[in-house]
Amino acid sequence: MRLTKTEMFTMLSLVAPYFFALLFFRHTDIFTFLGLIGFCALFIIGCLIILLLTKQTKFRKLYYFIATAISVTIFLTCRDGLINTADKIFFSIHKSRMTETVVAIEKARQENKQIEIPQLSFAAVDTLESGEVIFTLDGMLDNCVGIAYSKDNTNPGYTNCGRIIEWKKIDDHWYLWYTT
């Protein structure tokens, strides 16, 4: 059975939210990300309306509605897993640059020198008194998210944004953190 262009667009639109969540969640600001997800929802609805108006088989319409319902339900159910996976993808992309920054800071500490902490285009970089290097990815005031390097693998309990409420290991000595 040959698929029409509308059917192909519909299938692509059903997987588009997953694609955006995995690849763009940490790379864009929240409003852009919500706009992309909203665009996906409108695209799904638009494709379904076109399919319903152009197809005469009544069971085919039911199949498209079921596929949409399943796709949206799975997306909403797997939201936390998608966010965790997006964080790991973001970390793997930027790990080398973050590691270079940590090495420069550690070298300056060993030599007892002060250096200007390099600021990265994707994160603000700070150090804590206890030795952790904090990369703040996003947030405002006391509600932030970021990645931290902890040489001794301990949660410092706070960052420059406030008290840490979540501290998840993503690699050796690397942690994803959230504050309130």
Side-chain angles (χ1 to χ4, degrees):
M1 176 182 205
R2 188 159 190 252
L3 296 175
T4 65
K5 289 179 186 176
T6 305
E7 289 170 333
M8 288 189 295
F9 280 127
T10 301
M11 286 186 266
L12 290 174
S13 70
L14 294 177
V15 298
Y18 300 97
F19 176 77
F20 286 133
L22 290 175
L23 299 180
F24 296 111
F25 184 67
R26 292 281 177 230
H27 295 281
T28 63
D29 61 270
I30 190 67
F31 298 112
T32 304
F33 179 74
L34 290 175
L36 290 171
I37 295 298
F39 176 73
C40 289
L42 290 175
F43 200 66
I44 290 171
I45 292 169
C47 287
L48 286 174
I49 289 171
I50 291 169
L51 283 170
L52 293 175
L53 295 175
T54 59
K55 292 294 179 181
Q56 301 302 320
T57 309
K58 75 177 185 179
F59 292 117
R60 185 174 295 247
K61 294 176 186 179
L62 179 65
Y63 294 147
Y64 287 122
F65 274 125
I66 291 172
T68 301
I70 290 171
S71 178
V72 171
T73 302
I74 291 172
F75 181 78
L76 295 175
T77 304
C78 299
R79 184 182 61 85
D80 291 337
L82 286 168
I83 291 172
N84 290 338
T85 304
D87 290 335
K88 288 178 183 178
I89 290 170
F90 179 87
F91 175 70
S92 66
I93 291 170
H94 298 289
K95 182 180 179 181
S96 63
R97 186 70 175 113
M98 286 190 274
T99 302
E100 289 172 11
T101 303
V102 168
V103 168
I105 292 170
E106 290 294 320
K107 183 178 177 184
R109 280 187 185 152
Q110 289 173 354
E111 296 173 357
N112 203 15
K113 291 183 355 184
Q114 284 191 342
I115 63 166
E116 185 174 325
I117 297 174
Q119 295 301 313
L120 307 174
S121 61
F122 57 87
V125 184
D126 292 309
T127 59
L128 301 179
E129 292 176 10
S130 54
E132 289 81 10
V133 179
I134 302 294
F135 298 89
T136 304
L137 303 177
D138 197 13
M140 60 184 173
L141 300 175
D142 65 345
N143 192 2
C144 299
V145 63
I147 295 174
Y149 175 82
S150 176
K151 192 173 189 175
D152 58 359
N153 293 316
T154 58
N155 180 346
Y158 71 94
T159 69
N160 51 353
C161 285
R163 186 176 60 83
I164 294 174
I165 60 166
E166 192 164 347
W167 183 260
K168 294 188 299 189
K169 186 173 185 170
I170 54 177
D171 201 4
D172 291 336
H173 304 288
W174 291 97
Y175 295 86
L176 182 72
W177 56 268
Y178 294 94
T179 62
T180 63

